[in-house]
PDB file of all heavy atoms in Angstrom:
ATOM      1  N   CYS Q1494      -8.884 -13.907  23.296  1.00  0.00           N
ATOM      2  CA  CYS Q1494      -9.086 -15.248  22.704  1.00  0.00           C
ATOM      3  C   CYS Q1494     -10.545 -15.559  22.452  1.00  0.00           C
ATOM      4  O   CYS Q1494     -10.916 -16.718  22.306  1.00  0.00           O
ATOM      5  CB  CYS Q1494      -8.457 -16.307  23.589  1.00  0.00           C
ATOM      6  SG  CYS Q1494      -6.731 -16.172  23.742  1.00  0.00           S
ATOM      7  N   GLU Q1495     -11.407 -14.536  22.412  1.00  0.00           N
ATOM      8  CA  GLU Q1495     -12.825 -14.726  22.099  1.00  0.00           C
ATOM      9  C   GLU Q1495     -13.451 -13.542  21.513  1.00  0.00           C
ATOM     10  O   GLU Q1495     -12.966 -12.422  21.676  1.00  0.00           O
ATOM     11  CB  GLU Q1495     -13.558 -15.189  23.397  1.00  0.00           C
ATOM     12  CG  GLU Q1495     -13.474 -14.196  24.556  1.00  0.00           C
ATOM     13  CD  GLU Q1495     -14.038 -14.782  25.806  1.00  0.00           C
ATOM     14  OE1 GLU Q1495     -13.669 -15.901  26.231  1.00  0.00           O
ATOM     15  OE2 GLU Q1495     -14.877 -14.060  26.399  1.00  0.00           O
ATOM     16  N   PHE Q1496     -14.473 -13.751  20.733  1.00  0.00           N
ATOM     17  CA  PHE Q1496     -15.289 -12.668  20.153  1.00  0.00           C
ATOM     18  C   PHE Q1496     -16.621 -13.324  19.738  1.00  0.00           C
ATOM     19  O   PHE Q1496     -16.758 -14.550  19.764  1.00  0.00           O
ATOM     20  CB  PHE Q1496     -14.569 -12.068  18.930  1.00  0.00           C
ATOM     21  CG  PHE Q1496     -14.381 -12.989  17.750  1.00  0.00           C
ATOM     22  CD1 PHE Q1496     -15.371 -13.157  16.817  1.00  0.00           C
ATOM     23  CD2 PHE Q1496     -13.277 -13.789  17.657  1.00  0.00           C
ATOM     24  CE1 PHE Q1496     -15.265 -14.008  15.744  1.00  0.00           C
ATOM     25  CE2 PHE Q1496     -13.085 -14.640  16.600  1.00  0.00           C
ATOM     26  CZ  PHE Q1496     -14.027 -14.824  15.691  1.00  0.00           C
ATOM     27  N   ARG Q1497     -17.569 -12.485  19.368  1.00  0.00           N
ATOM     28  CA  ARG Q1497     -18.873 -13.011  18.904  1.00  0.00           C
ATOM     29  C   ARG Q1497     -19.029 -12.961  17.402  1.00  0.00           C
ATOM     30  O   ARG Q1497     -18.395 -12.166  16.714  1.00  0.00           O
ATOM     31  CB  ARG Q1497     -19.960 -12.089  19.502  1.00  0.00           C
ATOM     32  CG  ARG Q1497     -19.973 -12.262  21.039  1.00  0.00           C
ATOM     33  CD  ARG Q1497     -21.357 -11.923  21.679  1.00  0.00           C
ATOM     34  NE  ARG Q1497     -21.250 -12.307  23.072  1.00  0.00           N
ATOM     35  CZ  ARG Q1497     -21.574 -13.489  23.554  1.00  0.00           C
ATOM     36  NH1 ARG Q1497     -22.037 -14.424  22.748  1.00  0.00           N
ATOM     37  NH2 ARG Q1497     -21.478 -13.702  24.811  1.00  0.00           N
ATOM     38  N   LEU Q1498     -19.888 -13.890  16.946  1.00  0.00           N
ATOM     39  CA  LEU Q1498     -20.152 -13.998  15.473  1.00  0.00           C
ATOM     40  C   LEU Q1498     -21.546 -14.467  15.281  1.00  0.00           C
ATOM     41  O   LEU Q1498     -22.162 -15.152  16.169  1.00  0.00           O
ATOM     42  CB  LEU Q1498     -19.127 -14.873  14.757  1.00  0.00           C
ATOM     43  CG  LEU Q1498     -19.275 -16.348  14.781  1.00  0.00           C
ATOM     44  CD1 LEU Q1498     -18.461 -17.029  13.759  1.00  0.00           C
ATOM     45  CD2 LEU Q1498     -18.896 -16.858  16.153  1.00  0.00           C
ATOM     46  N   LEU Q1499     -22.159 -14.164  14.109  1.00  0.00           N
ATOM     47  CA  LEU Q1499     -23.466 -14.667  13.840  1.00  0.00           C
ATOM     48  C   LEU Q1499     -23.412 -16.142  13.572  1.00  0.00           C
ATOM     49  O   LEU Q1499     -22.469 -16.638  12.979  1.00  0.00           O
ATOM     50  CB  LEU Q1499     -23.994 -13.889  12.634  1.00  0.00           C
ATOM     51  CG  LEU Q1499     -24.206 -12.407  12.813  1.00  0.00           C
ATOM     52  CD1 LEU Q1499     -24.740 -11.774  11.568  1.00  0.00           C
ATOM     53  CD2 LEU Q1499     -25.152 -12.079  14.034  1.00  0.00           C
ATOM     54  N   PRO Q1500     -24.516 -16.905  13.911  1.00  0.00           N
ATOM     55  CA  PRO Q1500     -24.497 -18.317  13.682  1.00  0.00           C
ATOM     56  C   PRO Q1500     -24.218 -18.746  12.262  1.00  0.00           C
ATOM     57  O   PRO Q1500     -23.591 -19.801  11.976  1.00  0.00           O
ATOM     58  CB  PRO Q1500     -25.925 -18.732  14.156  1.00  0.00           C
ATOM     59  CG  PRO Q1500     -26.313 -17.682  15.141  1.00  0.00           C
ATOM     60  CD  PRO Q1500     -25.688 -16.446  14.670  1.00  0.00           C
ATOM     61  N   ALA Q1501     -24.681 -17.938  11.271  1.00  0.00           N
ATOM     62  CA  ALA Q1501     -24.470 -18.317   9.867  1.00  0.00           C
ATOM     63  C   ALA Q1501     -22.988 -18.380   9.474  1.00  0.00           C
ATOM     64  O   ALA Q1501     -22.637 -19.019   8.436  1.00  0.00           O
ATOM     65  CB  ALA Q1501     -25.139 -17.251   8.955  1.00  0.00           C
ATOM     66  N   LEU Q1502     -22.073 -17.792  10.316  1.00  0.00           N
ATOM     67  CA  LEU Q1502     -20.656 -17.809   9.970  1.00  0.00           C
ATOM     68  C   LEU Q1502     -19.877 -18.930  10.689  1.00  0.00           C
ATOM     69  O   LEU Q1502     -18.669 -19.064  10.451  1.00  0.00           O
ATOM     70  CB  LEU Q1502     -20.039 -16.478  10.277  1.00  0.00           C
ATOM     71  CG  LEU Q1502     -20.687 -15.287   9.568  1.00  0.00           C
ATOM     72  CD1 LEU Q1502     -20.108 -13.967  10.047  1.00  0.00           C
ATOM     73  CD2 LEU Q1502     -20.424 -15.444   8.053  1.00  0.00           C
ATOM     74  N   VAL Q1503     -20.534 -19.652  11.569  1.00  0.00           N
ATOM     75  CA  VAL Q1503     -19.807 -20.654  12.365  1.00  0.00           C
ATOM     76  C   VAL Q1503     -19.130 -21.652  11.543  1.00  0.00           C
ATOM     77  O   VAL Q1503     -17.923 -21.963  11.672  1.00  0.00           O
ATOM     78  CB  VAL Q1503     -20.851 -21.299  13.415  1.00  0.00           C
ATOM     79  CG1 VAL Q1503     -20.294 -22.567  13.955  1.00  0.00           C
ATOM     80  CG2 VAL Q1503     -21.137 -20.295  14.532  1.00  0.00           C
ATOM     81  N   ASN Q1504     -19.892 -22.282  10.647  1.00  0.00           N
ATOM     82  CA  ASN Q1504     -19.291 -23.390   9.829  1.00  0.00           C
ATOM     83  C   ASN Q1504     -18.128 -22.905   8.999  1.00  0.00           C
ATOM     84  O   ASN Q1504     -17.090 -23.556   8.905  1.00  0.00           O
ATOM     85  CB  ASN Q1504     -20.344 -24.117   9.031  1.00  0.00           C
ATOM     86  CG  ASN Q1504     -19.851 -25.370   8.414  1.00  0.00           C
ATOM     87  OD1 ASN Q1504     -19.487 -25.432   7.294  1.00  0.00           O
ATOM     88  ND2 ASN Q1504     -19.818 -26.396   9.248  1.00  0.00           N
ATOM     89  N   GLU Q1505     -18.271 -21.749   8.331  1.00  0.00           N
ATOM     90  CA  GLU Q1505     -17.250 -21.194   7.489  1.00  0.00           C
ATOM     91  C   GLU Q1505     -15.970 -21.024   8.259  1.00  0.00           C
ATOM     92  O   GLU Q1505     -14.850 -21.316   7.799  1.00  0.00           O
ATOM     93  CB  GLU Q1505     -17.709 -19.888   6.834  1.00  0.00           C
ATOM     94  CG  GLU Q1505     -16.604 -19.190   6.035  1.00  0.00           C
ATOM     95  CD  GLU Q1505     -17.058 -17.792   5.633  1.00  0.00           C
ATOM     96  OE1 GLU Q1505     -18.286 -17.554   5.428  1.00  0.00           O
ATOM     97  OE2 GLU Q1505     -16.166 -16.940   5.461  1.00  0.00           O
ATOM     98  N   MET Q1506     -16.139 -20.392   9.460  1.00  0.00           N
ATOM     99  CA  MET Q1506     -14.901 -20.163  10.266  1.00  0.00           C
ATOM    100  C   MET Q1506     -14.244 -21.446  10.763  1.00  0.00           C
ATOM    101  O   MET Q1506     -13.060 -21.658  10.577  1.00  0.00           O
ATOM    102  CB  MET Q1506     -15.284 -19.309  11.540  1.00  0.00           C
ATOM    103  CG  MET Q1506     -14.105 -19.063  12.405  1.00  0.00           C
ATOM    104  SD  MET Q1506     -14.581 -18.085  13.857  1.00  0.00           S
ATOM    105  CE  MET Q1506     -13.059 -18.110  14.761  1.00  0.00           C
ATOM    106  N   HIS Q1507     -15.071 -22.427  11.163  1.00  0.00           N
ATOM    107  CA  HIS Q1507     -14.553 -23.696  11.646  1.00  0.00           C
ATOM    108  C   HIS Q1507     -13.754 -24.368  10.479  1.00  0.00           C
ATOM    109  O   HIS Q1507     -12.618 -24.840  10.664  1.00  0.00           O
ATOM    110  CB  HIS Q1507     -15.643 -24.590  12.082  1.00  0.00           C
ATOM    111  CG  HIS Q1507     -15.187 -26.036  12.267  1.00  0.00           C
ATOM    112  ND1 HIS Q1507     -14.435 -26.405  13.350  1.00  0.00           N
ATOM    113  CD2 HIS Q1507     -15.292 -27.126  11.434  1.00  0.00           C
ATOM    114  CE1 HIS Q1507     -14.119 -27.698  13.207  1.00  0.00           C
ATOM    115  NE2 HIS Q1507     -14.657 -28.129  12.088  1.00  0.00           N
ATOM    116  N   VAL Q1508     -14.321 -24.490   9.270  1.00  0.00           N
ATOM    117  CA  VAL Q1508     -13.664 -25.154   8.196  1.00  0.00           C
ATOM    118  C   VAL Q1508     -12.375 -24.449   7.844  1.00  0.00           C
ATOM    119  O   VAL Q1508     -11.358 -25.067   7.651  1.00  0.00           O
ATOM    120  CB  VAL Q1508     -14.618 -25.254   6.946  1.00  0.00           C
ATOM    121  CG1 VAL Q1508     -13.842 -25.743   5.678  1.00  0.00           C
ATOM    122  CG2 VAL Q1508     -15.782 -26.183   7.280  1.00  0.00           C
ATOM    123  N   ASN Q1509     -12.374 -23.057   7.737  1.00  0.00           N
ATOM    124  CA  ASN Q1509     -11.184 -22.400   7.396  1.00  0.00           C
ATOM    125  C   ASN Q1509     -10.072 -22.560   8.440  1.00  0.00           C
ATOM    126  O   ASN Q1509      -8.900 -22.653   8.069  1.00  0.00           O
ATOM    127  CB  ASN Q1509     -11.444 -20.921   7.200  1.00  0.00           C
ATOM    128  CG  ASN Q1509     -11.993 -20.612   5.866  1.00  0.00           C
ATOM    129  OD1 ASN Q1509     -11.479 -21.028   4.854  1.00  0.00           O
ATOM    130  ND2 ASN Q1509     -13.054 -19.835   5.799  1.00  0.00           N
ATOM    131  N   LEU Q1510     -10.385 -22.697   9.708  1.00  0.00           N
ATOM    132  CA  LEU Q1510      -9.409 -22.987  10.719  1.00  0.00           C
ATOM    133  C   LEU Q1510      -8.933 -24.385  10.659  1.00  0.00           C
ATOM    134  O   LEU Q1510      -7.725 -24.704  10.752  1.00  0.00           O
ATOM    135  CB  LEU Q1510      -9.951 -22.645  12.118  1.00  0.00           C
ATOM    136  CG  LEU Q1510     -10.312 -21.232  12.434  1.00  0.00           C
ATOM    137  CD1 LEU Q1510     -10.833 -21.112  13.822  1.00  0.00           C
ATOM    138  CD2 LEU Q1510      -9.134 -20.342  12.225  1.00  0.00           C
ATOM    139  N   ALA Q1511      -9.852 -25.340  10.439  1.00  0.00           N
ATOM    140  CA  ALA Q1511      -9.507 -26.783  10.338  1.00  0.00           C
ATOM    141  C   ALA Q1511      -8.527 -27.085   9.187  1.00  0.00           C
ATOM    142  O   ALA Q1511      -7.616 -27.901   9.399  1.00  0.00           O
ATOM    143  CB  ALA Q1511     -10.787 -27.617  10.237  1.00  0.00           C
ATOM    144  N   ILE Q1512      -8.689 -26.412   8.115  1.00  0.00           N
ATOM    145  CA  ILE Q1512      -7.791 -26.690   6.955  1.00  0.00           C
ATOM    146  C   ILE Q1512      -6.579 -25.724   6.964  1.00  0.00           C
ATOM    147  O   ILE Q1512      -5.771 -25.843   5.990  1.00  0.00           O
ATOM    148  CB  ILE Q1512      -8.537 -26.639   5.605  1.00  0.00           C
ATOM    149  CG1 ILE Q1512      -9.072 -25.233   5.288  1.00  0.00           C
ATOM    150  CG2 ILE Q1512      -9.692 -27.708   5.566  1.00  0.00           C
ATOM    151  CD1 ILE Q1512      -9.719 -25.080   3.913  1.00  0.00           C
ATOM    152  N   GLY Q1513      -6.516 -24.849   7.927  1.00  0.00           N
ATOM    153  CA  GLY Q1513      -5.324 -23.958   7.972  1.00  0.00           C
ATOM    154  C   GLY Q1513      -5.366 -22.801   6.987  1.00  0.00           C
ATOM    155  O   GLY Q1513      -4.366 -22.178   6.764  1.00  0.00           O
ATOM    156  N   HIS Q1514      -6.540 -22.548   6.408  1.00  0.00           N
ATOM    157  CA  HIS Q1514      -6.626 -21.429   5.458  1.00  0.00           C
ATOM    158  C   HIS Q1514      -6.511 -20.095   6.085  1.00  0.00           C
ATOM    159  O   HIS Q1514      -5.914 -19.189   5.551  1.00  0.00           O
ATOM    160  CB  HIS Q1514      -8.003 -21.576   4.677  1.00  0.00           C
ATOM    161  CG  HIS Q1514      -8.169 -20.513   3.579  1.00  0.00           C
ATOM    162  ND1 HIS Q1514      -7.378 -20.493   2.483  1.00  0.00           N
ATOM    163  CD2 HIS Q1514      -9.013 -19.498   3.490  1.00  0.00           C
ATOM    164  CE1 HIS Q1514      -7.772 -19.484   1.723  1.00  0.00           C
ATOM    165  NE2 HIS Q1514      -8.725 -18.840   2.337  1.00  0.00           N
ATOM    166  N   LEU Q1515      -7.154 -19.918   7.262  1.00  0.00           N
ATOM    167  CA  LEU Q1515      -7.129 -18.652   8.005  1.00  0.00           C
ATOM    168  C   LEU Q1515      -6.823 -19.023   9.533  1.00  0.00           C
ATOM    169  O   LEU Q1515      -6.903 -20.172   9.850  1.00  0.00           O
ATOM    170  CB  LEU Q1515      -8.420 -17.917   7.955  1.00  0.00           C
ATOM    171  CG  LEU Q1515      -8.775 -17.389   6.560  1.00  0.00           C
ATOM    172  CD1 LEU Q1515     -10.260 -16.921   6.529  1.00  0.00           C
ATOM    173  CD2 LEU Q1515      -7.882 -16.293   6.024  1.00  0.00           C
ATOM    174  N   ASP Q1516      -6.460 -18.001  10.288  1.00  0.00           N
ATOM    175  CA  ASP Q1516      -6.259 -18.278  11.716  1.00  0.00           C
ATOM    176  C   ASP Q1516      -7.295 -17.573  12.548  1.00  0.00           C
ATOM    177  O   ASP Q1516      -8.016 -16.642  12.025  1.00  0.00           O
ATOM    178  CB  ASP Q1516      -4.895 -18.053  12.185  1.00  0.00           C
ATOM    179  CG  ASP Q1516      -4.454 -16.619  12.234  1.00  0.00           C
ATOM    180  OD1 ASP Q1516      -5.326 -15.715  12.456  1.00  0.00           O
ATOM    181  OD2 ASP Q1516      -3.265 -16.318  12.130  1.00  0.00           O
ATOM    182  N   PHE Q1517      -7.474 -17.889  13.798  1.00  0.00           N
ATOM    183  CA  PHE Q1517      -8.465 -17.353  14.668  1.00  0.00           C
ATOM    184  C   PHE Q1517      -8.359 -15.823  14.707  1.00  0.00           C
ATOM    185  O   PHE Q1517      -9.387 -15.084  14.690  1.00  0.00           O
ATOM    186  CB  PHE Q1517      -8.262 -17.896  16.055  1.00  0.00           C
ATOM    187  CG  PHE Q1517      -9.330 -17.446  17.082  1.00  0.00           C
ATOM    188  CD1 PHE Q1517     -10.478 -18.101  17.207  1.00  0.00           C
ATOM    189  CD2 PHE Q1517      -9.065 -16.278  17.813  1.00  0.00           C
ATOM    190  CE1 PHE Q1517     -11.431 -17.664  18.135  1.00  0.00           C
ATOM    191  CE2 PHE Q1517      -9.999 -15.854  18.781  1.00  0.00           C
ATOM    192  CZ  PHE Q1517     -11.251 -16.562  18.900  1.00  0.00           C
ATOM    193  N   TRP Q1518      -7.099 -15.306  14.731  1.00  0.00           N
ATOM    194  CA  TRP Q1518      -7.013 -13.845  14.939  1.00  0.00           C
ATOM    195  C   TRP Q1518      -7.375 -13.015  13.680  1.00  0.00           C
ATOM    196  O   TRP Q1518      -7.740 -11.888  13.773  1.00  0.00           O
ATOM    197  CB  TRP Q1518      -5.623 -13.515  15.500  1.00  0.00           C
ATOM    198  CG  TRP Q1518      -5.640 -13.956  16.932  1.00  0.00           C
ATOM    199  CD1 TRP Q1518      -6.045 -13.204  18.022  1.00  0.00           C
ATOM    200  CD2 TRP Q1518      -5.376 -15.252  17.506  1.00  0.00           C
ATOM    201  NE1 TRP Q1518      -6.066 -13.955  19.151  1.00  0.00           N
ATOM    202  CE2 TRP Q1518      -5.608 -15.184  18.896  1.00  0.00           C
ATOM    203  CE3 TRP Q1518      -4.952 -16.469  16.945  1.00  0.00           C
ATOM    204  CZ2 TRP Q1518      -5.449 -16.291  19.677  1.00  0.00           C
ATOM    205  CZ3 TRP Q1518      -4.788 -17.527  17.770  1.00  0.00           C
ATOM    206  CH2 TRP Q1518      -5.024 -17.439  19.151  1.00  0.00           C
ATOM    207  N   GLU Q1519      -7.358 -13.615  12.550  1.00  0.00           N
ATOM    208  CA  GLU Q1519      -7.862 -12.910  11.354  1.00  0.00           C
ATOM    209  C   GLU Q1519      -9.346 -12.719  11.500  1.00  0.00           C
ATOM    210  O   GLU Q1519      -9.876 -11.630  11.176  1.00  0.00           O
ATOM    211  CB  GLU Q1519      -7.565 -13.762  10.063  1.00  0.00           C
ATOM    212  CG  GLU Q1519      -6.075 -13.767   9.732  1.00  0.00           C
ATOM    213  CD  GLU Q1519      -5.808 -14.644   8.552  1.00  0.00           C
ATOM    214  OE1 GLU Q1519      -5.605 -15.874   8.807  1.00  0.00           O
ATOM    215  OE2 GLU Q1519      -5.756 -14.160   7.409  1.00  0.00           O
ATOM    216  N   TYR Q1520     -10.072 -13.636  12.061  1.00  0.00           N
ATOM    217  CA  TYR Q1520     -11.498 -13.467  12.288  1.00  0.00           C
ATOM    218  C   TYR Q1520     -11.715 -12.486  13.419  1.00  0.00           C
ATOM    219  O   TYR Q1520     -12.584 -11.630  13.393  1.00  0.00           O
ATOM    220  CB  TYR Q1520     -12.221 -14.819  12.632  1.00  0.00           C
ATOM    221  CG  TYR Q1520     -12.391 -15.664  11.462  1.00  0.00           C
ATOM    222  CD1 TYR Q1520     -11.519 -16.717  11.132  1.00  0.00           C
ATOM    223  CD2 TYR Q1520     -13.409 -15.437  10.574  1.00  0.00           C
ATOM    224  CE1 TYR Q1520     -11.700 -17.534  10.031  1.00  0.00           C
ATOM    225  CE2 TYR Q1520     -13.644 -16.250   9.451  1.00  0.00           C
ATOM    226  CZ  TYR Q1520     -12.726 -17.338   9.204  1.00  0.00           C
ATOM    227  OH  TYR Q1520     -12.919 -18.118   8.121  1.00  0.00           O
ATOM    228  N   ALA Q1521     -10.916 -12.549  14.478  1.00  0.00           N
ATOM    229  CA  ALA Q1521     -10.977 -11.634  15.631  1.00  0.00           C
ATOM    230  C   ALA Q1521     -10.747 -10.198  15.205  1.00  0.00           C
ATOM    231  O   ALA Q1521     -11.499  -9.308  15.653  1.00  0.00           O
ATOM    232  CB  ALA Q1521     -10.070 -12.054  16.725  1.00  0.00           C
ATOM    233  N   HIS Q1522      -9.828  -9.982  14.333  1.00  0.00           N
ATOM    234  CA  HIS Q1522      -9.515  -8.659  13.836  1.00  0.00           C
ATOM    235  C   HIS Q1522     -10.767  -8.159  13.045  1.00  0.00           C
ATOM    236  O   HIS Q1522     -11.135  -6.948  13.186  1.00  0.00           O
ATOM    237  CB  HIS Q1522      -8.322  -8.598  12.887  1.00  0.00           C
ATOM    238  CG  HIS Q1522      -7.004  -8.626  13.649  1.00  0.00           C
ATOM    239  ND1 HIS Q1522      -6.504  -7.495  14.276  1.00  0.00           N
ATOM    240  CD2 HIS Q1522      -6.109  -9.586  13.823  1.00  0.00           C
ATOM    241  CE1 HIS Q1522      -5.352  -7.774  14.796  1.00  0.00           C
ATOM    242  NE2 HIS Q1522      -5.103  -9.065  14.610  1.00  0.00           N
ATOM    243  N   ALA Q1523     -11.359  -8.959  12.248  1.00  0.00           N
ATOM    244  CA  ALA Q1523     -12.522  -8.542  11.490  1.00  0.00           C
ATOM    245  C   ALA Q1523     -13.687  -8.182  12.406  1.00  0.00           C
ATOM    246  O   ALA Q1523     -14.428  -7.190  12.203  1.00  0.00           O
ATOM    247  CB  ALA Q1523     -12.968  -9.663  10.480  1.00  0.00           C
ATOM    248  N   ALA Q1524     -13.880  -9.032  13.458  1.00  0.00           N
ATOM    249  CA  ALA Q1524     -14.962  -8.760  14.447  1.00  0.00           C
ATOM    250  C   ALA Q1524     -14.696  -7.430  15.127  1.00  0.00           C
ATOM    251  O   ALA Q1524     -15.644  -6.678  15.389  1.00  0.00           O
ATOM    252  CB  ALA Q1524     -15.116  -9.842  15.473  1.00  0.00           C
TER     253      ALA Q1524
END
C-alpha cells in the first residue's frame, strides 16, 4: 500500500485519484 514518487508527480497523482480517473495500484505498478 505504499511506494515512492518524485515530488513533481504528487499533484497529478492526487488529482487523478480524487476524480477517479486512475487508482492507486496503477501508479504502484508503474513505480
